[in-house]
Structures are given as structure tokens and as C-alpha cells.
Amino acid sequence: MIIAIDGPSGAGKSTVAKAAAKQLGFNCLDTGAMYRAVAWYALEHGLSLDDEPALGEVARVKEISFGHVAGDPTPRRVFIDGTEVTDAIRTAQVDRAVSSVSAHPSVREALVDQQRRIGNAGDYVVEGRDIGTVVFPQASVKVFLTASDEERAMRRVRQNERRGVGSVDFDEVLADLRRRDEADSSRAASPLVAAEDAVKLDSTGYTADEIIERIVSLAKEAR
Ligand code: C5P
């Protein structure tokens, strides 16, 4: 069974996806981390963000995998080509680069293949931008999660503070979210758009627990 959670940056997808997965006994897949890992690899190896053939090759050939911290059922650690990039993919440089990388159709094709392979192996809550529209259009539950720009930026600042990585400047974070939303929504390949059959949830003014509860009950109804 697949629960798809899509929406713009900072809408709270990761938090609610991980918690809902835990309550349902499902696995959880963060597809944004995969695009971030490819962007990190490109920056690290001096690849041009416009070099679609090279970036597509990275997405096809370099293995992206997830790992656990001891005692935590959610796979929070991210690796590409054997290197751990859990924190390195959350920097402001990767924030700035990732939308260019994810706009390339060959990168998307390679990562979507991997996402389907992973998701088809069990029960998954999968979060991203195109999960309900492209990756798993047959998902049992589709949620499109949004929140106001300011609330999303504030949450991202707090998350960056907690993690000790990424920008903690509200205006800078807000500008980055808006720039990425615009790039992700206007790209030709799999733009960020709600699936017609998605349940649209605006989390502005709601606690994470309220949103998680709603998603868990949608999943139980669909079972
Ligand atoms: O979710 P997160 O903010 O980590 O995603 C980082 C970027 O990866 C997004 O801004 C978007 O460009 C890309 N992405 C995507 N498709 C997905 C998940 C993420 O294009 N399914």
C-alpha cells in the first residue's frame, strides 16, 4: 500500500510522513533527499547543473541508499556512492542547486525508477512533489499538503536550527522557498501540481499531530 504526500517545500511533509508511517507500521521514503543527493554529488564533483547527460548518469549509476540511526525506525541517514550525506544535503548551497538538477528529465527518470522499486517492495508513505501524479498514480491515499509561505519559512528556520545546518535567516529561507516553488511548479517535467484525486490539506494553523491524525485515518479508511 502506498500513501503519497506531495506539496511545496516546508509544508511539513517530512514530519507528518515519518510520524504517519510510524503509527501505521509503514516504511517511509523521502524522495527529495534523492534529488538533493544528486545535487550534492554534482556540486562536490564540479559538474555543471546544466549538464543533463552527466547528471542523468549520476542518478542512474551512483547508488542512493538510506540508513537508520540505532533505535530509530525511520531511515534518516542518506548515502550516495557510499558517502554519508545526511547533513550535507541540507545546506543552503544544495537548496539553491536542487531545483535545477530535478528539472532534468533523465535525472527524474532514473530516480523515479528507484523510487518505484523501493515503494513496490512494501507498505510505504512516500513524500515528494510528483508522487501522486507520476511515481505512484495508483496510490491508495494521496495528500497534497500546503501551508502559507511565512509558516513554511518559519518551520524551515526552526528545522535548520535544530539540525544545525542550513540558513536560519527568515528572509533568506522565505526567498529560497518561493524561488524553489516557482521552479518546481513551472518546470516541464513532472511539475509540482496536486493530483486530481488528492485530498488537499492546508496545515497553516494546525499542529503536526492534527495533520498526522487525518492522514492516518485516511490510510485506515483505504485499507
Ligand atoms: O522535499 P525537499 O525540499 O527536500 O526536495 C528538494 C527538491 O527536490 C525540491 O525543491 C524539488 O526540486 C525536488 N523534488 C522533486 N520531486 C520530488 C521530490 C523533490 O523534483 N518527488
Side-chain angles (χ1 to χ4, degrees):
M1 183 167 172
I2 298 283
I3 315 287
I5 303 185
D6 289 303
S9 316
K13 298 187 301 289
S14 291
T15 307
V16 302
K18 288 182 175 111
K22 198 169 171 187
Q23 286 190 29
L24 291 162
F26 281 25
N27 300 294
C28 189
L29 177 62
D30 172 2
T31 61
M34 300 172 79
Y35 290 95
R36 287 173 176 275
V38 174
W40 174 86
Y41 190 96
L43 295 173
E44 185 71 11
H45 292 85
L47 302 177
S48 162
L49 302 180
D50 298 328
D51 189 345
E52 171 160 14
L55 298 173
E57 171 86 1
V58 170
R60 245 189 334 274
V61 176
K62 304 296 173 191
E63 195 200 354
I64 299 170
S65 57
F66 294 89
H68 293 266
V69 179
D72 183 345
T74 307
R76 294 180 201 276
R77 301 174 70 192
V78 187
F79 300 81
I80 182 166
D81 202 28
T83 303
E84 178 159 9
V85 293
T86 310
D87 291 332
I89 60 171
R90 306 289 166 192
T91 61
Q93 290 93 301
V94 172
D95 280 347
R96 280 194 294 274
V98 66
S99 293
S100 307
V101 170
S102 70
H104 295 306
S106 62
V107 170
R108 305 201 66 81
E109 218 171 280
L111 295 188
V112 167
D113 271 355
Q114 290 195 43
Q115 291 157 15
R116 289 189 178 137
R117 215 171 314 124
I118 295 170
N120 284 329
D123 292 325
Y124 268 88
V125 178
V126 186
E127 54 136 326
R129 302 289 187 291
D130 60 341
I131 309 307
T133 49
V134 174
V135 187
F136 293 110
Q138 81 293 3
S140 310
V141 175
K142 299 181 187 179
V143 170
F144 194 81
L145 190 63
T146 56
S148 71
D149 294 2
E150 288 74 16
E151 179 139 344
R152 294 189 291 122
M154 188 41 79
R155 288 182 191 156
R156 187 50 63 91
V157 165
R158 288 201 206 103
Q159 191 180 56
N160 289 349
E161 276 170 354
R162 268 198 314 277
R163 285 177 166 149
V165 56
S167 173
V168 293
D169 181 284
F170 177 83
D171 291 331
E172 188 185 345
V173 170
L174 180 63
D176 173 68
L177 289 184
R178 287 183 168 151
R179 189 191 50 72
R180 273 201 293 141
D181 290 349
E182 171 58 25
D184 293 343
S185 305
S186 60
R187 71 183 175 218
S190 311
L192 168 66
V193 56
E196 265 178 28
D197 51 349
V199 176
K200 296 181 188 68
L201 299 179
D202 183 340
S203 67
T204 314
Y206 289 91
T207 64
D209 282 346
E210 288 167 317
I211 301 292
I212 294 158
E213 201 178 306
R214 180 92 169 88
I215 294 172
V216 168
S217 71
L218 286 169
K220 286 183 177 161
E221 282 164 28
R223 255 215 274 246

